Amino acid sequence: MDKMKANSETKSMIRYLSIIIDHSSSMKNTDMKPTRLAVTKVHLMKFIANYFDQNPLSLVSLLATGNGRANLISDYFSSPNDHCDKLKEAEIQEGDPSIQNALELSMAQFKDCLLYTSDAADDMQCVDLGGRRIIKK
């Protein structure tokens, strides 16, 4: 009984996940058939579907890095089909990836996310949602 309760409590948590994908010219290599990017996309689509099955309240964002920049493929939302459609449309970029730019873009996305806590210290700083609190920014 306790395992079922713990499992349902973890499924009710809101999680934000940013996935950064290398879209640089190195992903054109054919050491994986047909290309590295094609294999990555197939496995990532399976991961996204499985992730939302296990975390139904979660939000995922896809970012691509290449040509020294980072680009947003899909913003935070919870539709695995929409993420997969956007992923299929994403094109290879020339040049080298930039992990720093991808991480900065990912962090910039969090400025619009709600912050949740179960024990906010100051009630004037938060809104109570039945045991959960949203921190006002």
Side-chain angles (χ1 to χ4, degrees):
M1 182 85 164
D2 289 336
K3 281 186 178 182
M4 290 177 58
K5 183 179 178 185
N7 192 22
S8 66
E9 286 176 1
T10 57
K11 283 191 175 193
S12 67
M13 290 178 54
I14 297 174
R15 293 180 176 93
Y16 293 89
L17 174 66
S18 295
I19 300 174
I20 301 171
I21 308 156
D22 181 1
H23 270 221
S24 66
S25 54
S26 68
M27 295 300 277
K28 291 181 185 177
N29 288 350
T30 58
D31 55 345
M32 296 179 176
K33 300 295 180 194
T35 63
R36 287 181 185 176
L37 185 60
V39 172
T40 300
K41 285 181 177 183
V42 167
H43 287 285
L44 188 54
M45 285 187 251
K46 289 178 185 176
F47 171 81
I48 290 170
N50 189 26
Y51 184 79
F52 281 113
D53 283 344
Q54 294 180 22
N55 304 285
L57 296 178
S58 296
L59 300 169
V60 172
S61 172
L62 300 176
L63 299 101
T65 180
N67 203 21
R69 296 189 318 247
N71 299 313
L72 188 64
I73 296 175
S74 63
D75 207 349
Y76 284 109
F77 50 89
S78 59
S79 170
N81 294 334
D82 289 344
H83 284 299
C84 291
D85 290 343
K86 297 267 188 182
L87 185 59
K88 288 176 190 175
E89 297 170 5
E91 297 289 327
I92 293 252
Q93 303 169 16
E94 297 300 321
D96 295 326
S98 173
I99 297 297
Q100 179 177 352
N101 289 340
L103 291 173
E104 287 175 1
L105 177 58
S106 178
M107 292 300 294
Q109 287 182 285
F110 282 109
K111 71 177 181 172
D112 297 326
C113 295
L114 296 174
L115 301 175
Y116 290 90
T117 182
S118 60
D119 57 352
D122 186 358
D123 286 337
M124 303 304 277
Q125 298 284 328
C126 62
V127 177
D128 190 355
L129 294 177
R132 289 194 178 148
R133 299 173 190 257
I134 299 176
I135 300 171
K136 296 178 186 176
K137 293 184 181 183

